């Protein structure tokens, strides 16, 4: 059995999940069990469905075409029916993203799509649309000595009104272009799937099963014309909009919007959300990174 | 009235102007819409739409795996109830009207949309704008427009911002849309929109089943005038613009028809006309060389 701790969940899997850092002090009673087994192609009592999924109360069937059917039930049991002889080379990365996201939603967690690093005991999150550079930013900060604590998903909760983060303890996924630009070829990383030029980079710190207090959330965006500020503080209303847009499947799953709203409001009200103009070229990273690190250090120390 | 309509075009053919016209018409206000919040902002190659509908991160799939799921995504989007059922839902698309190896239309045929406004522009003007947009030479842009394997966002060593879009050559792109029989098509020439914006826009709206008031139409045309749009871009930027255009005149640059006569060399004109003569003739773009 392979054991992990991700987004606050103790996970026991029948097969390896190379995208997550293995947890040596595994809980005797895991929160989530991942197993191989038969999964019917249809959920008989499905109440909603999309191109690749069907949902019934407490269950979600997700089909990764030509790889596996995945049944996720009760926020704790994941059954994978492999649809290809090499499926186990392809499946884990989907479990880490879609699978973990669905599990967390079934467990009523608010989930942000974010990479994260640790700074002075707090979690600094980087949100943004897919492809905006969240993983690259985490990798660049790791090269400067920070610990990466998430690459894809962060579960969020409010404790006594204070937001805390359960990061995914995942390895950073970098495309070949970023590996080359950041001069990381020596890591000889494993591809996330054999058919993709995208790799698991081993920056991650030892996994931790307790949450991190939230230091700041930076939402990455493309710089606009005439804009000189690299970092702009988001008003409460803008912060809510940005956090909502960064939430995992907030649109597809509206059943728990009120709870999500409460959790995200706790972040927005604390003034912890910033917009970060992130260059779309590796040539301009250094200046943006210097500004970001100085801002984050100042902000985290003031927030403490 | 149609429910869901593609705004289909080769790149740099006027689809953004058409979307701004639509946005100003539908806003009903006397001030220009924010060009960074265009209501017909959805594009068929949106990664966000794909991942929201499939619950799968598109960045974990190969381009071909994504393509196999795309028809299902457009079917699902077409089933989604519109925010406002009194106007059609418009979505932009730059892909050619392609079919998957099994024969299924990439865009799901009539299950993905009811019709398409296909915007075309003289390829000799397109090429100048394309060169600026992609930051390449005009000769390189001619080569791209003549290349039947031309695709954007097709690299595999990174995650392009959008899903891969197969354009093929300029004439193959146009013919793919005009030749398909799955959905109704209205052809809109950029040059006609330039010459008589109100009448050309009205005709496209009629195809979509929309009959705006003359006052509303005139207001939309005025608010969407090139100079006003360009001024707004200068003030606030345009999120859809490639970064390198910010310091080089912006996304909205000249907005003219027939500029190729001043800017293209005879050799460049000849290369384009040789490759696309039949389609140019069909669309009324006279050849300068015989």
């Amino acid at each position: 059995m392979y054991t992990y701790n991700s987004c606050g969940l103790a996970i026991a899997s029948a097969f390896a999940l190379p995208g997550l850092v293995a947890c040596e002090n595994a809980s005797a009673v895991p929160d989530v069990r991942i197993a191989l087994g038969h999964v019917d192609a249809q959920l008989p009592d499905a109440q909603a469905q999309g191109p690749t999924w069907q949902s019934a109360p407490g269950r979600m069937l997700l089909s990764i075409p030509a790889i596996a059917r995945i049944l996720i039930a009760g926020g704790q049991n994941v059954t994978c029916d492999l649809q290809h002889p090499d499926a186990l080379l392809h499946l884990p990365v989907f479990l880490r993203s879609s699978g973990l996201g669905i599990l967390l939603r079934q467990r009523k967690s608010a989930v942000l799509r974010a990479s994260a690093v640790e700074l002075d005991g707090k979690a600094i999150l980087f949100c943004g649309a897919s492809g905006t550079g969240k993983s690259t930013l985490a990798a660049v900060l790791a090269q400067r000595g920070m610990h990466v604590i998430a690459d894809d998903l962060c579960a969020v909760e409010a404790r006594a009104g204070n937001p805390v983060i359960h990061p995914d303890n995942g390895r950073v996924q970098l495309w070949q272009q970023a590996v080359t630009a950041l001069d990381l070829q020596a890591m000889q990383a494993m591809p996330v799937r054999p058919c993709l030029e995208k790799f698991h980079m081993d920056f991650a710190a030892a996994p931790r099963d307790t949450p991190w207090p939230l230091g700041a959330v930076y939402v990455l965006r493309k710089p606009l014309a005439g804009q000189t500020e690299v970092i702009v503080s988001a008003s409460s209303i803008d912060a809510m909009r940005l956090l909502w847009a960064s939430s995992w499947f907030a649109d597809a799953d509206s059943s728990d919007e009120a709870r999500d709203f409460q959790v995200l409001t706790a972040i927005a009200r604390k003034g912890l959300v910033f917009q970060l103009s992130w260059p779309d070229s590796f040539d301009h990273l250094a200046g943006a990174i210097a500004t970001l690190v100085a801002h984050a250090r100042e902000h985290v120390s003031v927030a403490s | 009235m149609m429910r869901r309509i593609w705004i289909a075009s080769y790149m740099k053919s006027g689809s953004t102007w058409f979307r701004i016209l639509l946005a100003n018409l539908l806003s009903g206000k006397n001030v220009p819409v924010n060009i960074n919040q265009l209501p017909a902002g959805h594009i068929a190659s949106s990664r966000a739409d794909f991942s929201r509908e499939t619950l799968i991160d598109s960045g974990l799939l190969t381009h071909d795996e994504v393509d196999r799921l795309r028809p299902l995504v457009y079917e699902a989007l077409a089933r989604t109830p519109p925010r406002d059922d009194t106007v059609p839902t418009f979505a932009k698309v730059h892909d050619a009207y392609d079919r998957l190896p099994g024969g299924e239309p990439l865009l799901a045929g009539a299950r993905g949309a009811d019709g398409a406004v296909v915007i075309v522009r003289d390829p000799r003007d397109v090429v100048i704008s394309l060169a600026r947009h992609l930051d390449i030479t005009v000769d390189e842009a001619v080569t791209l427009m003549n290349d039947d394997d031309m695709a954007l966002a097709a690299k595999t060593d990174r995650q392009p911002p959008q899903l891969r879009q197969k354009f093929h050559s300029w004439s193959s792109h146009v013919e793919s849309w005009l030749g398909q029989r799955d959905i109704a098509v209205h052809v809109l020439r950029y040059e006609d929109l330039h010459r008589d914006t109100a009448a050309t826009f009205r005709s496209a709206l009629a195809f979509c089943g929309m009959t705006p008031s003359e006052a509303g139409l005139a207001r939309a045309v005025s608010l969407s005038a090139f100079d006003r749009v360009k001024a707004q871009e200068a003030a606030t930027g345009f999120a859809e613009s490639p970064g390198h255009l910010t310091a080089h005149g912006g996304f909205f640059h000249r907005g003219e028809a027939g500029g190729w006569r001043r800017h293209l060399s005879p050799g460049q004109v000849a290369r384009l006309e040789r490759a696309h003569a039949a389609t140019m003739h069909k669309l009324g773009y006279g050849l300068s060389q015989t």
Side-chain angles (χ1 to χ4, degrees):
Chain A
M1 194 62 70
Y2 299 84
T3 54
Y4 305 92
N5 193 296
S6 187
C7 294
L9 303 176
I11 298 172
S13 174
F15 50 90
L17 303 175
L20 299 178
V21 179
C23 180
E24 293 173 357
N25 304 314
S27 168
V29 183
D31 301 303
V32 174
R33 295 177 190 276
I34 301 176
L36 296 172
H38 173 75
V39 174
D40 285 336
Q42 302 289 328
L43 270 185
D45 53 346
Q47 295 184 349
Q49 64 178 22
T52 48
W53 55 271
Q54 301 163 46
S55 70
R59 281 167 301 142
M60 174 79 83
L61 171 59
L62 178 67
S63 177
I64 311 294
I67 296 176
R69 285 198 291 268
I70 308 168
L71 179 65
I72 303 170
Q76 56 186 8
N77 290 311
V78 180
T79 308
C80 304
D81 192 340
L82 307 182
Q83 303 293 303
H84 188 278
D86 293 333
L88 281 180
L89 297 175
H90 300 264
L91 175 61
V93 74
F94 295 101
L95 286 174
R96 179 189 159 176
S97 58
S98 306
L100 191 54
I102 292 167
L103 276 167
L104 290 164
R105 298 300 292 173
Q106 288 182 345
R107 297 175 76 95
K108 311 295 184 191
S109 288
V111 186
L112 290 176
R113 288 209 64 177
S115 66
V117 296
E118 181 261 327
L119 180 63
D120 298 340
K122 295 195 172 183
I124 308 294
L125 269 57
F126 305 108
C127 296
S130 180
T132 48
K134 300 185 291 290
S135 296
T136 303
L137 179 48
V140 171
L141 293 173
Q143 287 182 302
R144 285 159 173 74
M146 291 191 190
H147 290 306
V148 177
I149 56 176
D151 181 53
D152 196 17
L153 298 177
C154 288
V156 190
E157 63 176 298
R159 292 189 174 175
N162 294 314
V164 297
I165 301 297
H166 298 272
D168 64 15
N169 292 319
R171 292 194 165 88
V172 175
Q173 299 175 37
L174 285 189
W175 289 94
Q176 181 63 57
Q177 181 200 31
V179 171
T180 304
L182 300 180
D183 200 17
L184 292 168
Q185 297 93 325
M187 272 197 181
Q188 296 183 327
M190 268 181 61
V192 302
R193 294 180 62 198
C195 54
L196 291 183
E197 297 174 55
K198 188 176 192 180
F199 302 90
H200 290 306
M201 310 303 291
D202 204 358
F203 293 119
R208 143 175 163 164
D209 57 6
T210 52
W212 299 84
L214 178 62
V217 178
Y218 293 92
V219 181
L220 278 58
R221 66 173 179 183
K222 197 168 80 168
L224 287 176
Q227 180 188 328
T228 54
E229 303 96 334
V230 174
I231 297 169
V232 178
S233 179
S235 67
S236 297
I237 292 174
D238 284 340
M240 279 304 293
R241 178 177 55 78
L242 294 166
L243 292 170
W244 199 259
S246 301
S247 295
W248 199 84
F249 304 144
D251 287 350
D253 175 5
S254 60
S255 58
D256 299 306
E257 283 184 357
R259 190 200 58 247
D260 292 348
F261 191 83
Q262 283 183 339
V263 175
L264 299 184
T265 300
I267 301 176
R269 282 189 178 154
K270 294 272 182 185
L272 298 176
V273 181
F274 306 90
Q275 287 187 291
L276 169 65
S277 291
W278 185 241
D280 52 7
S281 159
F282 285 96
D283 300 337
H284 302 104
L285 284 187
I289 285 287
T291 305
L292 168 65
V293 171
H295 184 275
R297 284 201 186 285
E298 180 183 1
H299 187 78
V300 167
S301 85
V302 169
S304 305
Chain B
M1 186 190 74
M2 293 186 178
R3 290 176 302 110
R4 185 172 166 86
I5 299 168
W6 297 117
I7 303 170
S9 69
Y10 196 88
M11 271 196 305
K12 311 313 295 174
S13 297
S15 65
T16 303
W17 185 17
F18 186 82
R19 288 164 53 220
I20 292 171
L21 280 162
L22 267 178
N24 278 316
L25 178 76
L26 298 176
S27 86
K29 296 176 181 169
N30 286 319
V31 293
V33 292
N34 183 341
I35 57 174
N36 289 309
Q37 294 172 9
L38 297 177
H42 282 268
I43 184 164
S45 49
S46 160
R47 287 188 181 275
D49 285 350
F50 179 96
S51 294
R52 191 182 59 247
E53 295 299 327
T54 62
L55 305 189
I56 298 173
D57 183 345
S58 63
L60 299 178
L61 300 172
T62 66
H63 292 310
D64 288 343
E65 287 173 334
V66 166
D67 278 357
R68 287 195 282 276
L69 286 172
R70 282 177 67 177
L72 299 173
V73 169
Y74 304 128
E75 280 185 50
L77 287 169
R79 283 196 299 267
T80 305
R83 286 184 183 171
D84 178 354
D85 60 9
T86 64
V87 294
T89 299
F90 291 91
K92 172 174 148 177
V93 58
H94 282 321
D95 298 82
Y97 195 90
D98 264 345
R99 292 180 185 278
L100 300 177
E104 187 177 6
L106 178 74
L107 298 170
R111 296 188 305 281
D114 300 316
V117 174
V118 177
I119 303 176
V120 297
R121 185 183 187 189
D122 190 321
R124 295 163 295 195
D125 279 335
V126 171
V127 78
I128 299 166
S129 191
L130 185 67
R132 276 193 82 246
H133 188 86
L134 298 180
D135 198 18
I136 57 179
T137 67
V138 171
D139 282 320
E140 289 168 338
V142 171
T143 300
L144 274 186
M145 290 181 65
N146 291 358
D147 180 0
D148 223 25
D149 292 327
M150 198 289 218
L152 280 191
K155 288 184 174 154
T156 58
D157 69 340
R158 68 199 69 180
Q159 181 175 312
Q162 295 179 13
L163 303 177
R164 178 183 64 184
Q165 298 145 76
K166 290 183 178 176
F167 280 66
H168 309 299
S169 74
W170 177 83
S171 45
S172 294
H173 186 281
V174 172
E175 298 289 355
S176 76
W177 278 98
L178 303 191
Q180 59 78 30
R181 294 290 174 265
D182 296 335
I183 56 174
V185 157
H186 175 85
V187 178
L188 183 158
R189 296 195 333 159
Y190 176 89
E191 294 74 16
D192 296 335
L193 198 61
H194 208 269
R195 179 179 47 78
D196 188 342
T197 307
T200 307
F201 187 39
R202 186 192 301 113
S203 172
L205 295 171
F207 165 79
C208 302
M210 300 167 69
T211 51
S213 69
E214 285 304 307
L217 194 68
R219 191 191 61 242
V221 170
S222 169
L223 293 173
S224 309
F226 184 80
D227 288 348
R228 298 178 82 162
V229 174
K230 190 172 174 63
Q232 194 182 143
E233 182 190 14
T236 65
F238 183 42
E240 297 179 34
S241 172
H244 68 270
L245 292 182
T246 302
H248 297 96
F251 182 92
F252 302 100
H253 187 52
R254 287 205 178 91
E256 61 182 1
W260 64 270
R261 296 177 196 282
R262 297 193 309 279
H263 298 296
L264 293 190
S265 71
Q268 290 162 342
V269 171
R271 285 179 67 201
L272 282 170
E273 293 188 354
R274 270 200 305 272
H276 309 298
T279 303
M280 290 175 70
H281 178 74
K282 184 187 288 184
L283 296 173
Y285 298 133
L287 304 185
S288 64
Q289 310 193 357
T290 55

